[in-house]
Amino acid sequence: MLPTAENLAAFIQADLDTATATLALDFATAVVSDYTRGVGFEAAEPAGGLGHVILQVAARLYRNPDQLRTQAVGDLSTTWAEPGWSGFTIGELAVLHRYRRRAG
């Protein structure tokens, strides 16, 4: 399934800006498709766990679009475990490697 803004909102359990959510999903879909070199995409629909990887990547991007590691305002600061998009996680790579074509 190709994740939608509604799927992303349910995943991160928040009301979303649809335009920003769509951009995050488009980026996530593109990097997953590029990584697998299109394998696992039939008629633009991701197979198996690829949709879940897209959703996870989009969630990280949506939550931290400036890709900051730390942000401070006055005496308050926030530190993110992942600075937005810094690459795929080990779990995501485990799914992606099932589809990636490798040079022989």
Side-chain angles (χ1 to χ4, degrees):
M1 69 130 194
L2 185 60
T4 64
E6 292 80 23
N7 299 135
L8 184 57
F11 184 70
I12 64 175
Q13 299 179 2
D15 292 329
L16 305 181
D17 171 61
T18 304
T20 305
T22 300
L23 286 172
L25 287 163
D26 289 348
F27 175 85
T29 301
V31 296
V32 168
S33 178
D34 287 351
Y35 189 86
T36 64
R37 297 184 178 113
V39 175
F41 285 82
E42 293 294 325
E45 285 289 319
L50 294 178
H52 299 298
V53 172
I54 291 168
L55 196 58
Q56 288 178 300
V57 170
R60 287 198 307 274
L61 287 168
Y62 187 87
R63 286 289 195 193
N64 188 1
D66 293 328
Q67 301 189 32
L68 302 173
R69 172 61 91 185
T70 303
Q71 182 178 24
V73 177
D75 292 338
L76 302 174
S77 68
T78 300
T79 301
W80 286 275
E82 297 266 342
W85 170 253
S86 61
F88 296 110
T89 65
I90 292 172
E92 292 163 352
L93 287 170
V95 173
L96 294 171
H97 284 174
R98 293 190 327 210
Y99 296 94
R100 183 173 170 89
R101 270 186 276 179
R102 298 180 186 217

